[in-house]
PDB file of all heavy atoms in Angstrom:
ATOM      1  N   GLY A   9      -9.753  -5.041  -1.361  1.00  0.00           N
ATOM      2  CA  GLY A   9      -9.570  -6.443  -0.966  1.00  0.00           C
ATOM      3  C   GLY A   9      -8.325  -6.787  -0.198  1.00  0.00           C
ATOM      4  O   GLY A   9      -8.174  -7.891   0.281  1.00  0.00           O
ATOM      5  N   THR A  10      -7.398  -5.807  -0.081  1.00  0.00           N
ATOM      6  CA  THR A  10      -6.129  -6.132   0.591  1.00  0.00           C
ATOM      7  C   THR A  10      -5.745  -5.051   1.600  1.00  0.00           C
ATOM      8  O   THR A  10      -6.289  -3.958   1.576  1.00  0.00           O
ATOM      9  CB  THR A  10      -4.961  -6.268  -0.435  1.00  0.00           C
ATOM     10  OG1 THR A  10      -4.703  -4.952  -0.974  1.00  0.00           O
ATOM     11  CG2 THR A  10      -5.276  -7.211  -1.545  1.00  0.00           C
ATOM     12  N   ARG A  11      -4.772  -5.363   2.452  1.00  0.00           N
ATOM     13  CA  ARG A  11      -4.292  -4.476   3.480  1.00  0.00           C
ATOM     14  C   ARG A  11      -4.015  -3.032   2.976  1.00  0.00           C
ATOM     15  O   ARG A  11      -4.527  -2.079   3.556  1.00  0.00           O
ATOM     16  CB  ARG A  11      -3.045  -5.084   4.148  1.00  0.00           C
ATOM     17  CG  ARG A  11      -2.309  -4.165   5.078  1.00  0.00           C
ATOM     18  CD  ARG A  11      -1.269  -4.890   5.904  1.00  0.00           C
ATOM     19  NE  ARG A  11      -0.114  -5.286   5.140  1.00  0.00           N
ATOM     20  CZ  ARG A  11       0.915  -6.039   5.627  1.00  0.00           C
ATOM     21  NH1 ARG A  11       0.900  -6.466   6.901  1.00  0.00           N
ATOM     22  NH2 ARG A  11       1.913  -6.380   4.896  1.00  0.00           N
ATOM     23  N   PRO A  12      -3.179  -2.894   1.944  1.00  0.00           N
ATOM     24  CA  PRO A  12      -2.863  -1.505   1.555  1.00  0.00           C
ATOM     25  C   PRO A  12      -4.061  -0.738   0.993  1.00  0.00           C
ATOM     26  O   PRO A  12      -4.166   0.473   1.202  1.00  0.00           O
ATOM     27  CB  PRO A  12      -1.777  -1.653   0.474  1.00  0.00           C
ATOM     28  CG  PRO A  12      -1.874  -3.072  -0.011  1.00  0.00           C
ATOM     29  CD  PRO A  12      -2.374  -3.867   1.158  1.00  0.00           C
ATOM     30  N   GLU A  13      -5.001  -1.468   0.393  1.00  0.00           N
ATOM     31  CA  GLU A  13      -6.216  -0.763  -0.105  1.00  0.00           C
ATOM     32  C   GLU A  13      -7.093  -0.283   1.051  1.00  0.00           C
ATOM     33  O   GLU A  13      -7.658   0.809   0.989  1.00  0.00           O
ATOM     34  CB  GLU A  13      -7.055  -1.678  -1.019  1.00  0.00           C
ATOM     35  CG  GLU A  13      -6.350  -2.054  -2.288  1.00  0.00           C
ATOM     36  CD  GLU A  13      -6.916  -3.344  -2.840  1.00  0.00           C
ATOM     37  OE1 GLU A  13      -8.088  -3.388  -3.278  1.00  0.00           O
ATOM     38  OE2 GLU A  13      -6.172  -4.379  -2.782  1.00  0.00           O
ATOM     39  N   ILE A  14      -7.168  -1.123   2.079  1.00  0.00           N
ATOM     40  CA  ILE A  14      -8.001  -0.706   3.250  1.00  0.00           C
ATOM     41  C   ILE A  14      -7.397   0.526   3.867  1.00  0.00           C
ATOM     42  O   ILE A  14      -8.073   1.543   4.152  1.00  0.00           O
ATOM     43  CB  ILE A  14      -8.057  -1.860   4.300  1.00  0.00           C
ATOM     44  CG1 ILE A  14      -8.684  -3.114   3.660  1.00  0.00           C
ATOM     45  CG2 ILE A  14      -8.885  -1.429   5.517  1.00  0.00           C
ATOM     46  CD1 ILE A  14      -8.503  -4.388   4.488  1.00  0.00           C
ATOM     47  N   ILE A  15      -6.042   0.535   4.033  1.00  0.00           N
ATOM     48  CA  ILE A  15      -5.356   1.671   4.700  1.00  0.00           C
ATOM     49  C   ILE A  15      -5.524   2.947   3.842  1.00  0.00           C
ATOM     50  O   ILE A  15      -5.863   4.020   4.359  1.00  0.00           O
ATOM     51  CB  ILE A  15      -3.863   1.340   4.916  1.00  0.00           C
ATOM     52  CG1 ILE A  15      -3.769   0.232   5.975  1.00  0.00           C
ATOM     53  CG2 ILE A  15      -3.090   2.578   5.311  1.00  0.00           C
ATOM     54  CD1 ILE A  15      -2.344  -0.349   6.099  1.00  0.00           C
ATOM     55  N   LYS A  16      -5.328   2.830   2.523  1.00  0.00           N
ATOM     56  CA  LYS A  16      -5.304   4.030   1.684  1.00  0.00           C
ATOM     57  C   LYS A  16      -6.661   4.479   1.257  1.00  0.00           C
ATOM     58  O   LYS A  16      -6.820   5.632   0.832  1.00  0.00           O
ATOM     59  CB  LYS A  16      -4.418   3.767   0.507  1.00  0.00           C
ATOM     60  CG  LYS A  16      -2.922   3.720   0.862  1.00  0.00           C
ATOM     61  CD  LYS A  16      -2.086   3.396  -0.330  1.00  0.00           C
ATOM     62  CE  LYS A  16      -0.602   3.580  -0.077  1.00  0.00           C
ATOM     63  NZ  LYS A  16       0.190   3.211  -1.250  1.00  0.00           N
ATOM     64  N   LEU A  17      -7.666   3.623   1.339  1.00  0.00           N
ATOM     65  CA  LEU A  17      -9.054   4.105   1.021  1.00  0.00           C
ATOM     66  C   LEU A  17      -9.782   4.579   2.290  1.00  0.00           C
ATOM     67  O   LEU A  17     -10.779   5.283   2.178  1.00  0.00           O
ATOM     68  CB  LEU A  17      -9.881   2.991   0.343  1.00  0.00           C
ATOM     69  CG  LEU A  17      -9.560   2.842  -1.169  1.00  0.00           C
ATOM     70  CD1 LEU A  17     -10.289   1.633  -1.750  1.00  0.00           C
ATOM     71  CD2 LEU A  17      -9.858   4.108  -1.918  1.00  0.00           C
ATOM     72  N   ALA A  18      -9.243   4.204   3.489  1.00  0.00           N
ATOM     73  CA  ALA A  18      -9.940   4.659   4.709  1.00  0.00           C
ATOM     74  C   ALA A  18     -10.142   6.194   4.767  1.00  0.00           C
ATOM     75  O   ALA A  18     -11.211   6.654   5.099  1.00  0.00           O
ATOM     76  CB  ALA A  18      -9.143   4.198   5.914  1.00  0.00           C
ATOM     77  N   PRO A  19      -9.105   6.984   4.358  1.00  0.00           N
ATOM     78  CA  PRO A  19      -9.353   8.457   4.413  1.00  0.00           C
ATOM     79  C   PRO A  19     -10.434   8.889   3.425  1.00  0.00           C
ATOM     80  O   PRO A  19     -11.181   9.852   3.696  1.00  0.00           O
ATOM     81  CB  PRO A  19      -7.982   9.037   3.938  1.00  0.00           C
ATOM     82  CG  PRO A  19      -7.011   7.959   4.232  1.00  0.00           C
ATOM     83  CD  PRO A  19      -7.695   6.671   4.037  1.00  0.00           C
ATOM     84  N   VAL A  20     -10.624   8.186   2.316  1.00  0.00           N
ATOM     85  CA  VAL A  20     -11.666   8.543   1.349  1.00  0.00           C
ATOM     86  C   VAL A  20     -13.026   8.170   1.930  1.00  0.00           C
ATOM     87  O   VAL A  20     -13.995   8.952   1.814  1.00  0.00           O
ATOM     88  CB  VAL A  20     -11.427   7.917  -0.020  1.00  0.00           C
ATOM     89  CG1 VAL A  20     -12.358   8.483  -1.071  1.00  0.00           C
ATOM     90  CG2 VAL A  20      -9.982   8.036  -0.482  1.00  0.00           C
ATOM     91  N   VAL A  21     -13.110   7.027   2.589  1.00  0.00           N
ATOM     92  CA  VAL A  21     -14.367   6.645   3.245  1.00  0.00           C
ATOM     93  C   VAL A  21     -14.716   7.678   4.319  1.00  0.00           C
ATOM     94  O   VAL A  21     -15.843   8.146   4.392  1.00  0.00           O
ATOM     95  CB  VAL A  21     -14.234   5.225   3.890  1.00  0.00           C
ATOM     96  CG1 VAL A  21     -15.449   4.885   4.726  1.00  0.00           C
ATOM     97  CG2 VAL A  21     -14.024   4.155   2.809  1.00  0.00           C
ATOM     98  N   GLN A  22     -13.715   8.057   5.110  1.00  0.00           N
ATOM     99  CA  GLN A  22     -13.989   9.071   6.159  1.00  0.00           C
ATOM    100  C   GLN A  22     -14.398  10.402   5.559  1.00  0.00           C
ATOM    101  O   GLN A  22     -15.308  11.083   6.075  1.00  0.00           O
ATOM    102  CB  GLN A  22     -12.743   9.214   7.075  1.00  0.00           C
ATOM    103  CG  GLN A  22     -12.641   8.080   8.110  1.00  0.00           C
ATOM    104  CD  GLN A  22     -11.270   7.547   8.305  1.00  0.00           C
ATOM    105  OE1 GLN A  22     -10.315   8.047   7.782  1.00  0.00           O
ATOM    106  NE2 GLN A  22     -11.169   6.450   9.056  1.00  0.00           N
ATOM    107  N   ALA A  23     -13.786  10.751   4.427  1.00  0.00           N
ATOM    108  CA  ALA A  23     -14.197  12.015   3.784  1.00  0.00           C
ATOM    109  C   ALA A  23     -15.605  11.946   3.269  1.00  0.00           C
ATOM    110  O   ALA A  23     -16.319  12.946   3.169  1.00  0.00           O
ATOM    111  CB  ALA A  23     -13.178  12.330   2.646  1.00  0.00           C
ATOM    112  N   CYS A  24     -16.086  10.776   2.896  1.00  0.00           N
ATOM    113  CA  CYS A  24     -17.485  10.596   2.470  1.00  0.00           C
ATOM    114  C   CYS A  24     -18.413  11.045   3.567  1.00  0.00           C
ATOM    115  O   CYS A  24     -19.456  11.681   3.322  1.00  0.00           O
ATOM    116  CB  CYS A  24     -17.798   9.164   2.113  1.00  0.00           C
ATOM    117  SG  CYS A  24     -17.162   8.626   0.521  1.00  0.00           S
ATOM    118  N   HIS A  25     -18.057  10.723   4.799  1.00  0.00           N
ATOM    119  CA  HIS A  25     -18.909  11.150   5.941  1.00  0.00           C
ATOM    120  C   HIS A  25     -18.941  12.654   6.018  1.00  0.00           C
ATOM    121  O   HIS A  25     -19.997  13.264   6.193  1.00  0.00           O
ATOM    122  CB  HIS A  25     -18.427  10.541   7.249  1.00  0.00           C
ATOM    123  CG  HIS A  25     -18.668   9.046   7.318  1.00  0.00           C
ATOM    124  ND1 HIS A  25     -19.846   8.543   7.805  1.00  0.00           N
ATOM    125  CD2 HIS A  25     -17.927   8.004   6.920  1.00  0.00           C
ATOM    126  CE1 HIS A  25     -19.818   7.199   7.744  1.00  0.00           C
ATOM    127  NE2 HIS A  25     -18.650   6.876   7.193  1.00  0.00           N
ATOM    128  N   ARG A  26     -17.781  13.286   5.917  1.00  0.00           N
ATOM    129  CA  ARG A  26     -17.700  14.750   6.072  1.00  0.00           C
ATOM    130  C   ARG A  26     -18.441  15.457   4.953  1.00  0.00           C
ATOM    131  O   ARG A  26     -19.068  16.481   5.165  1.00  0.00           O
ATOM    132  CB  ARG A  26     -16.209  15.191   6.056  1.00  0.00           C
ATOM    133  CG  ARG A  26     -15.454  14.805   7.301  1.00  0.00           C
ATOM    134  CD  ARG A  26     -14.122  15.559   7.428  1.00  0.00           C
ATOM    135  NE  ARG A  26     -13.183  15.342   6.341  1.00  0.00           N
ATOM    136  CZ  ARG A  26     -12.377  14.258   6.260  1.00  0.00           C
ATOM    137  NH1 ARG A  26     -12.429  13.346   7.215  1.00  0.00           N
ATOM    138  NH2 ARG A  26     -11.559  14.100   5.269  1.00  0.00           N
TER     139      ARG A  26
END
Side-chain angles (χ1 to χ4, degrees):
T10 69
R11 170 168 73 184
E13 294 156 68
I14 301 166
I15 292 170
K16 289 177 169 177
L17 282 174
V20 191
V21 172
Q22 279 138 8
C24 283
H25 288 272
R26 291 195 296 280

